[in-house]
Amino acid sequence: MPPDLQPAFRALADPTRRDILRRLSAREMTLAEVTRHCDMTRAAVKKHLVVLEEGNLIQMRRQGRETISTLNAAALKPVTDWLSYFDAFWQDKLTALTTALQDEKDNT
Amino acid sequence: MPPDLQPAFRALADPTRRDILRRLSAREMTLAEVTRHCDMTRAAVKKHLVVLEEGNLIQMRRQGRETISTLNAAALKPVTDWLSYFDAFWQDKLTALTTALQDEKDNT
DNA sequence: GCTTTGTGATACCATTTGGCATCCTTTTAT
DNA sequence: ATAAAAGGATGCCAAATGGTATCACAAAGC
């Protein structure tokens, strides 16, 4: 049974959340740290983190008084797998184009 | 300059639209045909198609009285490229896990 | 103990989103 | 010439989304 892709795709649909993911790829960060980069209130950032967590793209753990968010990049695999289904189509088109151009060159 | 990923990610965020994309991978279809599979009104389907077109994931052309939608799978490449940035992270984790399990086995 | 820092939770708000129904126009088919 | 089929364009609506402000609370620092 494949996982439900919806929460992950939903989480990826917002530029702020995609930006957060990239930052978390460097290192895990507290809510305050993430907020520092985001130009919006802590509450707003927190909402984004919750959406990312619902998509299983990050994990949050409480440590003392701070909450640390960690990237879970593996959760992106089902997404790339879904997208890879289409590789054959655009690659075919590209191959056809390349072949066509090559033929054109040959016929010169 | 990389293309703006937002319209594509936005388009992919809806399950109906993802479903339409897969159907269009088989063959191009008229609005009426797409609607037949979607369990919603033609107007609603049309809106989805517009969003897909804004994401450049499909193209629409008028032919006589019908509008034909065609998949543009190549537009998914920037999306997969963006996602591939994270491959290193989850693969590293996976490699580490595999190595750890192997070590454990070796030490038995 | 008191203050500061980091969060959680909640209520509220404007905009976007995903639907519908309806009306109008353009092609085809009879 | 009509009628039927395929769409385009609008207007409307409820719910989701992305943001704010505010209040309450626990953990750290002095």
Side-chain angles (χ1 to χ4, degrees):
Chain A
M1 193 78 68
D4 181 12
L5 291 172
Q6 186 51 27
F9 269 113
R10 208 270 249 191
L12 290 170
D14 184 275
T16 298
R17 289 193 289 266
R18 290 197 301 277
D19 186 60
I20 292 175
L21 283 184
R22 295 203 77 132
R23 291 188 185 286
L24 290 180
S25 73
R27 57 183 176 83
E28 53 185 31
M29 297 172 71
T30 67
L31 172 54
E33 284 176 318
V34 177
T35 303
R36 226 161 273 144
H37 301 288
C38 279
D39 194 40
M40 65 184 69
T41 61
R42 172 180 55 80
V45 173
K46 164 71 180 211
K47 278 192 184 180
H48 283 303
L49 291 178
V50 168
V51 174
L52 287 168
E53 191 179 40
E54 285 168 353
N56 197 32
L57 301 182
I58 68 167
Q59 282 139 16
M60 296 173 71
R61 69 172 193 279
R62 193 76 189 252
Q63 191 171 86
R65 66 177 163 182
E66 46 196 22
T67 299
I68 303 179
S69 297
T70 309
L71 176 68
N72 178 27
L76 288 174
K77 179 150 199 318
V79 176
T80 55
D81 285 347
W82 187 90
L83 288 170
S84 70
Y85 169 82
F86 295 92
D87 286 355
F89 300 96
W90 71 262
Q91 284 182 3
D92 282 354
K93 296 279 176 58
L94 191 60
T95 303
L97 177 62
T98 305
T99 305
L101 289 175
Q102 186 60 41
D103 287 352
E104 195 167 313
K105 188 179 168 191
D106 290 346
N107 293 338
T108 303
Chain B
M1 193 78 69
D4 182 13
L5 291 171
Q6 186 51 27
F9 269 114
R10 208 273 247 189
L12 289 170
D14 184 275
T16 297
R17 289 193 288 265
R18 290 197 300 277
D19 186 60
I20 291 175
L21 282 184
R22 295 204 75 130
R23 291 190 186 286
L24 291 180
S25 72
R27 57 183 177 81
E28 53 185 30
M29 298 171 71
T30 67
L31 172 54
E33 284 175 318
V34 177
T35 303
R36 224 161 275 143
H37 301 288
C38 279
D39 193 41
M40 65 183 69
T41 63
R42 173 179 53 81
V45 173
K46 164 70 182 225
K47 276 194 185 180
H48 284 303
L49 292 178
V50 168
V51 174
L52 286 168
E53 192 179 40
E54 286 169 352
N56 197 31
L57 301 182
I58 69 169
Q59 282 139 15
M60 296 172 70
R61 70 174 191 278
R62 194 76 189 252
Q63 191 169 90
R65 66 177 162 183
E66 46 197 20
T67 299
I68 303 178
S69 297
T70 310
L71 176 68
N72 177 29
L76 289 174
K77 182 155 196 316
V79 176
T80 54
D81 285 347
W82 187 90
L83 288 170
S84 71
Y85 169 82
F86 295 93
D87 286 355
F89 300 96
W90 70 262
Q91 284 180 3
D92 282 354
K93 296 281 176 56
L94 191 60
T95 303
L97 178 62
T98 306
T99 305
L101 289 175
Q102 187 61 41
D103 287 351
E104 196 166 313
K105 189 180 170 191
D106 291 344
N107 295 338
T108 305

